Amino acid sequence: MKKLLLALCLVGAQAVQSGHAAQGDELNGTLKKVKEKGAIVLGVRDSTKPFSYLNDKQDYEGYAVDLCLSIAKTIQRKLGMSQLTIVMVPVTSSSRIPLIQNGTVDIECGNTTNTAERQNVVEFSPTYYVSGSRLLSKRSSNIQALADLRGKKLAINGGTTHIKMVSTLNDEQKLGIDIVASRDTAEGMLLVETGRVAAFMNDDIVLASLAGGSKISNELVVGKDALSVEPFGLIYRKNDPAFKQVVDGSVATIFKSGDINKIYAKWFQSPALPHGQNLNWPMSPETRAAIAKVSNSPNPADYAPLPKEQLSLVKKK
């Protein structure tokens, strides 16, 4: 398993002062592990633009990665460490939760949907993006809805919430869809491009970035209708209240300060992606609601768009 190493450095009085505060506390759990090893391990994705992906220089970057790096700086300050090594370990939709549970990865920085079932085994940060699951297909296939895939092949990343949802609908509606479990987003995209499946289901913005960067972009289309609402959160180990306080507090600070708007604009509304790709994807009302409320809820209904008079809660700096 390939790893990337980075280092965050803090110098001066601030680091020393924070160090005295941290040493006065009894460390345990993930914070103790980070302090003793001098490193934090981030789970990252190879091909999930714009959340987490491997760029042309073989570095991991993206919207979720930036959030994780900000959290790492907060942890470094709390522990009073002059240097903190960042270890980036690639994960897939199938391996991300097991690697969090067994201690290999400390925080997963991808596009993981917060569900009540998953909350039984991992902890979720406040929701930082609300997505909709859609279908990517070739324009000539004329596929817009799940019913259009009757008797056809559909690629879905293994270990995702989409698998369970489509399996249930497939049985209820007797559609006869042949579900092909793809290893990751890159493989799912390739299956569509080469015609081995009729469509690929994933999160709307991920599909938009894949289609825009494809060599056959003019032949691809993302379905208009969302099949579900997916609140995304960073995941980390359960039963670690001290770590939870730091992670969730760091995300809340990013939201309340308005820094989230700068990070969002960088990855969704500027040519920051490989080859200068600009998604031109404005922040949705549901994502604005998530940022204003600062919620760890897995319930999609909790991210209903805010009334206009409450939109000012999402600072625009």
Side-chain angles (χ1 to χ4, degrees):
M1 182 179 286
K2 58 186 176 183
K3 297 181 181 180
L4 261 68
L5 301 177
L6 301 173
L8 294 177
C9 297
L10 285 178
V11 296
Q14 182 183 17
V16 175
Q17 184 176 5
S18 298
H20 289 318
Q23 291 170 8
D25 299 329
E26 184 73 25
L27 290 179
N28 54 53
T30 305
L31 291 179
K32 181 179 180 181
K33 174 191 171 189
V34 171
K35 181 76 171 180
E36 291 177 347
K37 293 183 176 295
I40 186 168
V41 183
L42 306 182
V44 288
R45 305 289 194 92
D46 283 355
S47 57
T48 312
K49 296 185 297 184
F51 298 96
S52 178
Y53 66 93
L54 197 60
N55 65 22
D56 295 339
K57 296 180 180 179
Q58 298 301 294
D59 295 323
Y60 287 99
E61 62 181 9
Y63 178 56
V65 174
D66 276 2
L67 293 177
C68 282
L69 291 176
S70 182
I71 292 169
K73 288 181 181 179
T74 300
I75 291 171
Q76 183 180 359
R77 286 193 296 268
K78 177 177 176 60
L79 297 179
M81 301 172 68
S82 60
Q83 180 170 309
L84 174 64
T85 299
I86 307 294
V87 182
M88 295 192 178
V89 173
V91 301
T92 66
S93 53
S94 298
S95 69
R96 57 189 169 183
I97 289 179
L99 291 176
I100 287 288
Q101 289 179 300
N102 68 19
T104 300
V105 170
D106 298 319
I107 310 176
E108 191 256 349
C109 320
N111 55 324
T112 299
T113 301
N114 186 344
T115 69
E117 183 178 5
R118 284 175 173 169
Q119 284 199 0
N120 291 324
V121 293
V122 292
E123 198 74 60
F124 280 84
S125 75
T127 297
Y128 62 87
Y129 185 86
V130 182
S131 178
S133 56
R134 300 178 193 267
L135 299 170
L136 173 71
S137 62
K138 289 185 176 178
R139 196 179 304 275
S140 58
S141 301
N142 196 29
I143 293 172
Q144 288 293 330
L146 203 60
D148 297 327
L149 285 165
R150 186 181 299 274
K152 299 179 180 179
K153 291 184 177 182
L154 170 65
I156 307 177
N157 285 349
T160 63
T161 55
H162 301 139
I163 288 271
K164 182 177 181 180
M165 176 185 68
V166 174
S167 296
T168 299
L169 294 173
N170 198 18
D171 292 339
E172 291 176 350
Q173 300 177 26
K174 296 180 172 56
L175 297 174
I177 297 173
D178 183 3
I179 299 175
V180 178
S182 47
R183 188 187 72 84
D184 55 22
T185 304
E187 183 179 42
M189 180 64 175
L190 181 63
L191 291 173
V192 173
E193 290 177 321
T194 56
R196 284 178 281 175
V197 298
F200 175 42
M201 175 177 283
N202 209 300
D203 305 307
D204 49 17
I205 186 62
V206 172
L207 294 179
S209 67
L210 289 171
S214 172
K215 294 179 180 179
I216 59 169
S217 58
N218 292 336
E219 300 178 34
L220 300 174
V221 63
V222 178
K224 295 180 180 179
D225 298 329
L227 284 81
S228 65
V229 175
E230 313 275 336
F232 292 170
L234 309 171
I235 60 173
Y236 52 97
R237 280 178 290 284
K238 285 186 70 67
N239 304 317
D240 194 342
F243 193 65
K244 175 179 174 60
Q245 183 179 21
V246 178
V247 171
D248 290 11
S250 179
V251 174
T253 297
I254 294 170
F255 288 0
K256 293 176 181 178
S257 68
D259 287 346
I260 189 64
N261 295 291
K262 300 173 186 176
I263 300 173
Y264 186 96
K266 172 184 175 182
W267 294 108
F268 293 85
Q269 297 176 298
S270 67
L273 297 177
H275 313 297
Q277 183 183 6
N278 186 343
L279 298 174
N280 290 313
W281 195 273
M283 188 180 290
S284 69
E286 292 80 8
T287 298
R288 288 190 178 278
I291 291 170
K293 295 176 182 178
V294 191
S295 173
N296 304 69
S297 172
N299 186 357
D302 290 336
Y303 304 103
L306 295 172
K308 290 183 179 180
E309 59 270 17
Q310 293 185 32
L311 289 177
S312 60
L313 293 175
V314 184
K315 294 184 180 180
K316 300 178 180 179
K317 292 188 177 180

